[in-house]
Amino acid sequence: MNVLVVGGAGYIGSHMCLCLATAGHRVVALDNLSTGHREAVQWGELVVASLDETSVVAETLRRHEIDVVMHFAACSLVGESMQDPYRYYQNNVSSTLSLLMAMRDAGVAQFIFSSTAAIFGDPQSDQIEENHPRQPINPYGNSKLAVEMLLQDAAQAYGLRATTLRYFNAAGADPQGRIGESHTPETHLIPRLLRRAAGEDLSVQIFGTDYPTRDGSCVRDYIHVNDLAVAHLNAMEHGRSQPGFHCFNLGNGIGHSVLEVVKAAERAVGVPLDIPFGPRRAGDPATLVASSRKAREILDWTPRHDSIDRIVADAWNWHRRPAF
Ligand code: UFG
């Protein structure tokens, strides 16, 4: 297949390019490099463009005879979305609509979309299934839910084959250390811990000690970025034979507390990190864990790197010597 990876210079997008190329597909990355890295595009051609450059997008779809578009390019910081919601609706919703219209005009019929656990809002069950109420509590979640609704309508009206994948906490890196996670600013727990361990002047705290969890810190479902990429590959195959709109939650179905992740980071690094406790961060639910049953059954997907030690070790392998 000829696959266009929008956001292919970003963290998850670049791992997707690697996964697709390894599986024998032809990959083209499209990225405006606002947060992505040119050096991360090592598998396939890079087209430097934004989605609002509609003639470049249309030309790219036609010239490369694209069969499937995977869309990873988005703003994804909850706090920033509260401060500047227009940016989130512009970049995450309006740009996606432009892309979908260009795809319709070019006759590209399959779309795989990066969605998020943030569409569910405050969890109402221990493990979040696909049919959990979608009630986001911030503009970031709203913007992703808006696209999910758009995709449902597009599947109905235009016959778009659309699959939305709701990620829980993406983490880890290519085990060979060729690419990894590199955000500015970095807000996520595992890279912050490891960048500090690698010597960066970064003050890291454990946000909150009084959540109703086993040790008082928040529990999250960390999923290896390579396992996420494989789920997309399987979703692409599934969407070829099953038209319409599909949704899957992607996590391991196992929760780890912040304290447990700190311990895993200490094991990977080999020294104590002495992370202090701090106040809660606004907007953090106590627990967010996926039910991965549907993806396992229907996509025939099994996370291979599901231990927190493996996830953190691969991330550390990158952060101790980041190439970009
Ligand atoms: N945390 C700390 N210290 C830090 C950074 C994070 O204690 O320096 C804690 C957070 O409070 C949270 C956990 O570590 O409990 C994980 O935080 P991340 O920022 O790594 O990830 P989030 O769980 O906030 O983010 C995830 C997805 C988002 C999604 C969000 C929904 O990455 O896309 O869940 O709540 F929007």
Side-chain angles (χ1 to χ4, degrees), residues 21-135:
T22 306
H25 299 287
R26 215 180 118 245
V27 189
V28 178
L30 186 138
D31 201 299
N32 66 6
L33 300 181
S34 62
T35 56
H37 305 272
R38 190 180 286 277
E39 304 90 319
V41 184
Q42 300 175 24
W43 299 274
E45 183 180 321
L46 170 65
V47 177
V48 180
S50 292
L51 288 176
D52 54 15
E53 292 174 62
T54 45
S55 56
V56 180
V57 174
E59 160 67 10
T60 303
L61 293 172
R62 288 211 176 81
R63 187 159 57 89
H64 294 282
E65 299 177 349
I66 295 299
D67 302 301
V68 182
V69 174
M70 296 189 177
H71 183 23
F72 298 86
C75 299
S76 61
L77 300 178
V78 169
E80 182 186 63
S81 79
M82 313 278 273
Q83 306 294 323
D84 192 2
Y86 283 175
R87 181 171 152 79
Y88 277 68
Y89 283 93
Q90 171 83 61
N91 201 41
N92 294 3
V93 183
S94 172
S95 296
T96 304
L97 176 58
S98 296
L99 172 62
L100 291 168
M101 289 166 75
M103 286 174 58
R104 185 191 54 184
D105 294 348
V108 181
Q110 195 179 357
F111 189 69
I112 314 270
F113 179 61
S114 300
S115 189
T116 168
I119 63 161
F120 296 114
D122 287 322
Q124 297 172 13
S125 50
D126 290 345
Q127 286 201 332
I128 299 181
E129 301 208 337
E130 283 74 5
N131 61 4
H132 183 286
R134 296 182 297 178
Q135 294 169 338

Side-chain angles (χ1 to χ4, degrees), residues 14 88 243 298:
S14 60
Y88 277 68
I298 296 180

Side-chain angles (χ1 to χ4, degrees), residues 170-194:
D174 166 36
Q176 294 183 40
R178 293 165 290 185
I179 48 176
E181 188 167 10
S182 178
H183 294 120
T184 309
E186 183 52 78
T187 61
H188 293 112
L189 175 64
I190 292 174
R192 281 181 69 79
L193 290 170
L194 298 178

Side-chain angles (χ1 to χ4, degrees), residues 118 140 169 187-189 192 205 207 218 220 222 281 284:
Y140 169 57
N169 288 64
T187 61
H188 293 112
L189 175 64
R192 281 181 69 79
Q205 295 183 333
F207 293 146
C218 288
R220 294 288 181 273
Y222 296 89
R281 184 173 70 176
D284 274 339

Side-chain angles (χ1 to χ4, degrees), residues 16 22 27 76 96 122 138 165 180 194 196 223 239 246 261 284 287 294 314:
M16 190 70 238
T22 306
V27 189
S76 61
T96 304
D122 287 322
N138 49 60
L165 301 174
L194 298 178
R196 184 167 179 276
I223 168 143
H246 305 282
V261 173
D284 274 339
T287 301
K294 185 178 172 194
D314 284 348

